[in-house]
Amino acid sequence: PVNGGDHNGVTLPPACFNSSGPHHIFVIGDWGGVLPGQPGNEMGNRVIAADHTKPIFTKNRQFIPGVDDWAQQRVAHHFRQRANHSRPDYVI
């Protein structure tokens, strides 16, 4: 989607579970990106990650080693930890 809210209100198809509940679903979002032609991506032809460590952003911040360069791995680690307890049926 072009805009973050493009899928708002979308109904997923019914799911069938072969066991009694409770059932758990993990939903993961995204921090967003910068559209082509926008500040920080003026010359781009695709959406790029919104890297707020760059001075182009009015609310920029310092790069945090171990966080900014390891974010996806950190999310995956916590998903695995939570999955041990919640036993998700699927992930969106």
Side-chain angles (χ1 to χ4, degrees):
V2 173
N3 299 301
D6 284 353
H7 291 306
N8 286 355
V10 170
T11 301
L12 297 175
C16 180
F17 300 102
N18 294 322
S19 63
S20 59
H23 297 285
H24 300 275
I25 300 167
F26 283 6
V27 179
I28 186 168
D30 191 349
W31 284 277
V34 181
L35 295 172
Q38 297 299 309
N41 192 14
E42 294 86 355
M43 303 303 291
N45 60 0
R46 63 182 178 83
V47 176
I48 63 168
D51 182 356
H52 287 275
T53 64
K54 306 287 189 234
I56 188 73
F57 293 100
T58 56
K59 293 184 179 180
N60 64 335
R61 60 176 181 76
Q62 288 186 324
F63 180 85
I64 303 170
V67 175
D68 290 319
D69 56 350
W70 206 250
Q72 291 176 333
Q73 292 87 349
R74 291 168 64 95
V75 170
H77 170 77
H78 287 282
F79 260 53
R80 281 191 302 274
Q81 282 186 327
R82 180 64 64 175
N84 287 332
H85 170 73
S86 298
R87 312 300 300 167
D89 293 283
Y90 61 95
V91 178
I92 297 177

